[in-house]
Amino acid sequence: MAVKIAVVGTGGIARRHGEALVENENAEIVGAVDVDSSRAEAFAGKYGGKAYSALGDCPNEVDAVYVLTPPSFRRQYALEAIEAGKHVFCEKPLAI
């Protein structure tokens, strides 16, 4: 059974994570979250899942959240995921 993942922040470094996750048979991208809906849709179209404009809109079945946003937004998304009982992977430190 694959770990179901939501990726928050689908610009820049997200491409590398998307490439790695689709190669991992134990992972499945089920959500792409970005304030830029076209960027989220492009990411979802390439790596899988469905595009969302807010983390709270992702299905409850998500097991883990990859936070790949700029530093000023990481904390809010990490806390939202933690409060929802999800595992959190953060690209870089939670703050600068």
Side-chain angles (χ1 to χ4, degrees):
M1 180 168 82
V3 175
K4 295 179 181 174
I5 298 167
V7 174
V8 180
T10 57
I13 197 68
R15 179 181 58 83
R16 294 220 184 240
H17 288 274
E19 291 169 354
L21 289 168
V22 297
E23 293 293 321
N24 187 336
E25 65 186 34
N26 296 312
E28 176 187 4
I29 297 172
V30 297
V33 180
D34 203 297
V35 294
D36 181 336
S37 61
S38 63
R39 205 164 47 201
E41 289 170 11
F43 183 91
K46 187 167 187 173
Y47 302 110
K50 183 178 173 187
Y52 298 95
S53 59
L55 181 56
D57 295 338
C58 282
N60 277 342
E61 298 83 44
V62 169
D63 300 309
V65 176
Y66 271 58
V67 180
L68 308 175
T69 63
S72 58
F73 299 102
R74 288 187 193 124
R75 184 175 186 266
Q76 75 184 56
Y77 287 113
L79 288 175
E80 183 178 352
I82 290 167
E83 289 170 1
K86 309 302 177 189
H87 298 280
V88 175
F89 297 88
C90 192
E91 164 59 18
K92 295 179 182 174
L94 289 176
I96 53 176

